[in-house]
Amino acid sequence: AGGAPEALAEKAAEALGERAAEALAADPWQLLGVPGVRPEQADGFARALLGAACGPADERRAQALVGWLLEQAAVAGHSALEASALRAALAQRAVPDPDEALQTAIADGAVLVFQDAIDTPGRARPAADDEEAEQPVRILLGLDRFAMAEESVADGLARLLNTFEAAGAERDTADAAEAGDDGAADEAAAAPGATAGADDVSGAPAAPDARQEDGGAGYRRPRPSAADWAAAAAAAPSPSAAELIRAAAGSGLVAHTGAEAARAEPAALIAAARALGLRAFGATHSENGRRRLAAHLTEAAPDTDAADPGAAAVTVADLLSGQQGPGRDTDGALALDLLVVLDAPQLDLETAALLIESLTDGTRLVLSGDPGVLWSAGPGRLFADLLAARFCPQVASRTPDSGPIGELVSGIGIGELNQVEAPGKEVVIVPVRDAREAVHRTVQLVADSVPRALGVPAEQTRVITVGHGGAAGTRALNTALKERLNPGPGRFGGFDPGDHVAYTPAPGRTLPGKVTGADAAGLRLDCDGGTIVVPREQVGAGAVRHGWALTAHQAAGMRWPAAVVVLPGDAAGGLTRAWVYTAFSRGERHLSVVQGVDQALPRAVAEVPVKERTTRLRTLLQTQSVQAAADAAAAG
């Protein structure tokens, strides 16, 4: 009746519930709550249903637009928006009184309002108990689910930091308990995160037993001594790995920064912790990253008694689902003593909140990643906010990425696009005049030049471009690459066996794979050795795309032997230093740059570091720090 396509009915029912028809009849603009619907489409739907009663001043329209704008902001990475920005966006959409619309949304509880302190360079934040001190603030508005996730992350990180007992304190308490000091034993039992039992007084870690392995009701958390940790640090393979081990020994929360080569340092920490009897695991953003971590773990622990040191490497998604990792204890928490999360910049707020809530008091958490890469596809910038807040110990790796690609990317990270010597054709620049030539040269590189010159088959090369649309976006490139590398009729939704694909099971999560077949159940994919069946309706809805070419956001957290980065002329507006850094660092052995943006590339590297995001986490963490300092001063 409203003129919307019939195919939208199922999505509307999913978004609005069983009474979707009644809800839309009463308020046609609720159609904006259906994914993919834009305001102009909802306005047309409302005009068809309401006729002359439909107008831009309708309060129902204003409220729907407030929610839609905040949802769109989340897609762009913001966890909240400044009130002035939201007011201006409403005015652009012809809402006659944006202030009244915002007040109504706040009064109805659809939107939450926050006062976020504005930091002034060179000026310290006032103490928590300094009521007379004034600090400028900005008014932020946000949806409750993102606000709750951000606050949950801040509270969870503070909990892990504050319930941790350093190795020396644990040893003193344990020794006193073993010596018969009942008061110390009682104190140990009452301490947050503390558990019964202690290591042998000689300093050797307690031998794991069945209770330790399964994390069940009788599990006793091993407590390596300060001397144990010192010995592990002394045996570390590099100074940076030693520094990371020492930091993790003394704090429940540590931030570790470094590029690809620095991933060996978290691997060394995990191997050392497992050798000390701790349940230690490393979690990555992708299966591709998990394999790379597993290789580092195998190298870090070649003499271990464990059958497969690489089994300590998991993906964040599979750790939370229980498909990989230690599983959960009887209280529902992850059965862990130490968790290292690599690719931390890719953690969005809601995933981070779920992960941190799953860690019990006393668990060590290390967040590790390359601060130069693109942030998460979902809202927030957790890792950047944690670093900026100076909330916990930070370890910066001194292990650089080697070779011409490493040298090139290191320069990009500090805003310099340098020419590098590449005697083995590790880095090749291919200038092009237009998008059509860019597509032609890309196919030529993937199918002919890179395999012939470097011995890297087309299967092991990925193409990285700025977006899906445009004359040289992923759609155009994948069409050309399929025609050359795996031509076929596309009998199942445009796909054939042998096609490389990118499967998106959830927003912000991309699984590269290959089509192995199709049947009545759906499209069958091999994703890194695991079989996935994607139902027909999901294939038609765009959950699967051809995947020889990806965006840099899709490729973040993954690497291939060779990468071809395509920069057609219309890509200039989407370039930032973080985008270039991410795209150029996806190739392990070879990088080809199909260059059609001329001077826009060095300008982006030098002048456009990153697309900013509006978040609250940094302020929340700084508030936690100020309050903790005030509490400590009062207690002292």
Side-chain angles (χ1 to χ4, degrees):
E6 187 176 339
L8 201 62
E10 186 174 347
K11 287 185 178 180
E14 289 176 1
L16 303 176
E18 293 180 358
R19 303 183 67 82
E22 292 92 331
L24 289 171
D27 180 359
W29 284 283
Q30 284 197 40
L31 194 66
L32 275 177
V34 179
V37 175
R38 297 190 55 79
E40 52 270 23
Q41 295 169 320
D43 284 341
F45 182 73
R47 281 193 297 271
L49 291 182
L50 302 178
C54 175
D58 195 302
E59 182 180 305
R60 295 170 294 181
R61 177 177 184 269
Q63 295 311 296
L65 281 172
V66 170
W68 182 82
L69 287 167
L70 288 172
E71 290 285 0
Q72 293 304 114
V75 172
H78 306 286
S79 62
L81 280 183
E82 290 194 42
S84 58
L86 192 51
R87 197 179 298 117
L90 287 169
Q92 278 187 323
R93 297 284 178 181
V95 173
D97 193 342
D99 280 319
E100 181 182 352
L102 293 182
Q103 291 299 328
T104 301
I106 293 168
D108 290 347
V111 173
L112 302 182
V113 60
F114 312 97
Q115 290 188 352
D116 188 36
I118 300 174
D119 287 323
T120 303
R123 176 180 176 181
R125 280 178 168 253
D129 57 354
D130 189 352
E131 298 180 359
E132 297 182 0
E134 292 185 4
Q135 186 164 8
V137 298
R138 58 178 179 170
I139 305 301
L140 299 180
L141 300 174
L143 298 173
D144 59 352
R145 76 174 188 276
F146 299 129
M148 292 174 62
E150 213 152 19
E151 290 171 2
S152 175
V153 168
D155 291 343
L157 294 177
R159 172 177 60 84
L160 294 175
L161 195 62
N162 296 330
T163 60
F164 175 77
E165 293 183 27
E170 289 177 349
R171 173 63 53 204
D172 293 343
T173 304
D175 287 348
E178 287 189 356
D181 187 336
D182 294 336
D186 292 342
E187 182 180 346
T195 51
D199 301 344
D200 183 85
V201 294
S202 65
D209 58 23
R211 291 173 297 176
Q212 292 174 328
E213 289 297 323
D214 64 17
Y219 174 74
R220 293 175 296 144
R221 187 187 296 275
R223 290 187 296 218
S225 68
D228 296 328
W229 285 108
S238 69
S240 293
E243 186 179 357
L244 179 60
I245 291 171
R246 286 192 294 268
S251 177
L253 178 66
V254 176
H256 171 258
T257 60
E260 182 65 23
R263 293 169 80 93
E265 295 155 21
L269 168 61
I270 295 166
R274 291 173 75 87
L276 293 173
L278 298 178
R279 302 168 299 175
F281 284 79
T284 64
H285 178 62
S286 66
E287 178 63 24
N288 179 294
R290 189 205 68 78
R291 288 200 310 270
R292 303 198 318 273
L293 174 59
H296 281 300
L297 285 168
T298 301
E299 185 177 344
D303 301 324
T304 182
D305 292 335
D308 180 14
V314 300
T315 67
V316 170
D318 286 341
L319 174 68
L320 289 172
S321 69
Q323 295 181 44
Q324 295 175 347
R328 296 179 182 266
D329 61 22
T330 53
D331 295 323
L334 290 169
L336 291 165
D337 299 309
L338 166 70
L339 176 63
V340 181
V341 179
L342 291 87
D343 308 316
Q346 273 70 61
L347 268 182
D348 64 89
L349 281 177
E350 292 178 298
T351 302
L354 183 59
L355 183 65
I356 293 167
E357 288 168 1
S358 299
L359 301 180
T360 189
D361 293 356
T363 301
R364 291 174 168 90
L365 174 64
V366 177
L367 295 174
S368 174
D370 188 340
V373 302
L374 289 167
W375 294 329
S376 63
R381 52 175 191 184
L382 181 150
F383 195 53
D385 283 339
L386 177 64
L387 295 174
R390 310 293 299 179
F391 186 67
C392 65
Q394 297 183 15
V395 176
S397 172
R398 298 186 296 278
T399 306
D401 284 355
S402 60
I405 297 177
E407 181 184 349
L408 174 64
V409 172
S410 294
I412 292 170
I414 58 173
E416 298 175 359
L417 187 64
N418 301 316
Q419 288 188 341
V420 295
E421 294 292 331
K425 297 185 178 180
E426 294 89 349
V427 178
V428 173
I429 309 299
V430 182
V432 293
R433 293 181 298 273
D434 53 37
R436 182 177 179 180
E437 185 182 4
V439 173
H440 172 74
R441 295 303 301 272
T442 298
V443 173
Q444 188 179 53
L445 284 163
V446 174
D448 297 325
S449 303
V450 173
R452 183 176 63 251
L454 297 161
V456 178
E459 282 222 345
Q460 297 179 15
T461 299
R462 282 298 176 278
V463 176
I464 314 296
T465 192
V466 173
H468 295 300
T474 62
R475 295 189 189 98
L477 285 164
N478 278 316
T479 297
L481 287 162
K482 174 174 171 55
E483 184 178 341
R484 176 63 185 275
L485 299 173
N486 195 47
R491 290 193 180 93
F492 194 98
F495 299 97
D496 296 296
D499 280 356
H500 279 278
V501 295
Y503 170 48
T504 306
R509 186 175 174 222
T510 297
L511 301 179
K514 182 184 283 190
V515 177
T516 59
D519 53 32
L523 189 67
R524 295 189 174 275
L525 309 179
D526 178 355
C527 294
D528 287 305
T531 299
I532 294 176
V533 179
V534 183
R536 285 177 176 267
E537 58 271 18
Q538 289 188 25
V539 175
V544 182
R545 298 173 181 263
H546 283 107
W548 288 280
L550 305 169
T551 66
H553 263 115
Q554 288 179 314
M558 295 183 274
R559 279 163 64 93
W560 295 271
V564 177
V565 177
V566 184
L567 302 174
D570 61 0
L575 296 181
T576 65
R577 184 187 306 161
W579 191 95
V580 177
Y581 185 98
T582 303
F584 282 25
S585 57
R586 295 310 94 194
E588 296 171 337
R589 294 169 48 194
H590 174 77
L591 168 68
S592 282
V593 181
V594 179
Q595 221 295 36
V597 293
D598 198 29
Q599 293 305 304
L601 177 58
R603 275 199 303 272
V605 170
E607 301 172 11
V608 191
V610 70
K611 289 184 178 178
E612 283 300 328
R613 292 184 173 186
T614 303
T615 66
R616 299 174 51 238
L617 182 58
R618 179 181 178 182
T619 297
L620 292 170
L621 292 174
Q622 288 173 330
T623 301
Q624 292 269 13
S625 294
V626 170
Q627 187 60 54
D631 293 344

